[in-house]
Amino acid sequence: MAQPELGLRFQRRFLAARQLRSFPWPELEQNLRTAPDSALLVDILHKTILHPLCVKYPPSTKYRRCFLTELIKKHESTAAEPLDELYDTLADILNEEESTHCYKNYFLPTGESVTLSESVAIVSGGTTGLVTWDAALHLAEWAIENSAVFSNRTVLELGSGIGFTGIAICKTCNPKKYIFSDYHPCVLKQLTENIRLNGFVLEPETTCRIQTESQGQEAEATDYQKPKLIVAELDWGSVTEKQLLDLQPDVIVAADVVYDPEIILALIGMLQKLSTFRAGRKPPEVYIAFTIRNPDTYHLFQDELDKVGIGWQIIPAHSNSIFLYDVQPNVTILQLFI
């Protein structure tokens, strides 16, 4: 395998903070046995740990330390000359303090990236909404492949979490207006920070409602004029008719919001309200992506949709795998007819 290609494979996985076991270590070992020099390792180091995105928005200290330790092991197993830059970089990381947050960077087909500040823990602040889940990546891939669904339209995302799907759609699909929504205060705060981190400006009424602490992180991305972006606090159980009439989406999306029976009922109730309060407009298109962890929960969702007369169909799997997965998830996208 050509060295530049191997370096890029390491880069994409590293910046998105995929698990160490998913890296192409065997290919690296083979290359080092064939040509035991430092050029390949220097290339990988500068495409990962020392990549400009990583330097500015670093993954967790533990993750970078473990990655670099493994890279040094591969280097030491060859007859290559010692590479001081590897050890100097590790020394710098060992002097860092651990943080409860880290960054992940995902490359889009446009060449741009989506940068997210995430929690290092799956459960943090009493919620699982501070990390990115595979269904969000899967839904973004489908959206990018079907950008006409979103182009010049108003999109409402339910359960936006920390914003990956919406930010990716806004950067690639040219929606007219994108409404991010969630309920947990910590999630809303992190979501707002991530939107700004990616070069977007929120509508004034949004920034007034949701206060965030500036951490001196200003994106260098394009100054987007469109779409109009809003962050809405939506409680599915107590949302008002006025709130729904103000939204008026053409398209509704959601990722990984079908994992608990109570949440399923609340989601369906929200969709029924959106169908009822639409001011004479035609009903929005609805796309829900979720990882099937428990088949019973999946079938319960379908059964509850049938009970209230919401039609559904499975969207065929998309062909373009843009983002990397440790294990290919069992993700399904349903189109609902409300």
Side-chain angles (χ1 to χ4, degrees):
M1 177 179 291
Q3 290 191 8
E5 182 184 344
L6 182 58
L8 289 173
R9 288 181 65 197
F10 268 87
Q11 181 186 78
R12 290 183 68 207
R13 290 190 176 276
F14 180 82
L15 292 178
R18 310 314 297 179
Q19 296 187 22
L20 291 189
R21 65 174 180 268
S22 68
F23 284 85
W25 300 114
E27 289 92 335
L28 175 59
E29 292 172 347
Q30 179 62 39
N31 273 271
L32 291 175
R33 281 195 297 267
T34 304
D37 62 64
S38 300
L40 175 56
L41 290 166
V42 171
D43 180 60
I44 290 174
L45 180 64
H46 282 266
K47 284 178 176 172
T48 54
I49 298 279
L50 299 182
H51 188 281
L53 269 175
C54 179
V55 173
K56 187 170 185 178
Y57 304 118
S60 76
T61 302
K62 179 181 178 182
Y63 172 74
R64 285 178 289 134
R65 183 176 67 243
C66 291
F67 176 85
L68 197 50
T69 300
E70 189 65 27
L71 200 61
I72 289 172
K73 285 181 182 178
K74 302 305 179 189
H75 178 52
E76 291 178 342
S77 68
T78 72
E81 290 293 319
L83 187 58
D84 289 343
E85 194 171 13
L86 283 174
Y87 298 96
D88 292 342
T89 305
L90 179 59
D92 291 339
I93 294 172
L94 290 173
N95 287 326
E96 291 183 11
E97 292 186 7
E98 294 280 358
S99 173
T100 57
H101 281 74
C102 66
Y103 293 94
K104 294 186 180 182
N105 297 278
Y106 301 86
F107 287 113
L108 300 170
T110 58
E112 292 184 273
S113 62
V114 173
T115 297
L116 297 178
S117 174
E118 300 194 2
S119 170
V120 297
I122 292 177
V123 180
S124 178
T127 178
T128 58
L130 293 172
V131 297
T132 300
W133 296 92
D134 284 337
L137 303 179
H138 197 87
L139 181 57
E141 286 177 337
W142 178 83
I144 291 168
E145 196 171 87
N146 296 273
S147 61
V149 172
F150 306 94
S151 180
N152 201 35
R153 304 180 82 187
T154 296
V155 183
L156 167 65
E157 183 179 4
L158 301 175
S160 295
I162 55 173
F164 176 80
T165 300
I167 293 169
I169 289 174
C170 289
K171 286 194 172 189
T172 58
C173 300
N174 193 36
K176 178 175 67 177
K177 181 178 180 180
Y178 199 97
I179 305 163
F180 297 83
S181 73
D182 215 293
Y183 179 65
H184 195 285
C186 292
V187 175
L188 288 168
K189 179 180 176 181
Q190 196 66 50
L191 170 62
T192 303
E193 177 185 326
N194 282 335
I195 292 169
R196 290 172 172 156
L197 193 63
N198 284 274
F200 292 104
V201 177
L202 288 165
E203 290 293 287
E205 65 268 23
T206 305
T207 55
C208 289
R209 288 184 58 202
I210 301 172
Q211 300 296 322
T212 60
E213 297 177 8
S214 173
Q215 298 180 357
Q217 299 155 350
E218 296 182 0
E220 296 175 349
T222 307
D223 182 15
Y224 292 92
Q225 300 302 314
K226 293 183 178 180
K228 292 182 178 180
L229 299 186
I230 292 174
V231 172
E233 180 181 343
L234 280 186
D235 181 345
W236 298 347
S238 61
V239 64
T240 66
E241 179 179 347
K242 182 183 183 305
Q243 282 179 296
L244 296 178
L245 286 171
D246 287 343
L247 297 175
Q248 294 301 311
D250 302 306
V251 183
I252 298 171
V253 295
D256 234 335
V257 294
V258 181
Y259 56 86
D260 178 88
E262 289 187 13
I263 293 176
I264 285 173
L265 295 176
L267 171 63
I268 291 176
M270 178 67 173
L271 294 173
Q272 288 180 295
K273 292 173 184 176
L274 283 163
S275 177
T276 302
F277 304 122
R278 58 176 190 262
R281 296 158 58 100
K282 69 177 184 178
E285 297 178 36
V286 183
Y287 302 93
I288 310 288
F290 49 94
T291 301
I292 301 177
R293 301 179 181 88
N294 183 338
D296 290 339
T297 305
Y298 172 47
H299 294 309
L300 173 65
F301 181 49
Q302 293 175 326
D303 290 343
E304 293 297 331
L305 290 172
D306 292 339
K307 283 181 184 178
V308 299
I310 295 178
W312 55 269
Q313 68 179 15
I314 297 174
I315 296 292
H318 54 272
S319 58
N320 192 13
S321 183
I322 300 168
F323 309 111
L324 300 169
Y325 304 89
D326 296 324
V327 178
Q328 191 64 29
N330 185 16
V331 176
T332 291
I333 300 178
L334 292 185
Q335 180 177 6
L336 309 185
F337 302 94
I338 62 176

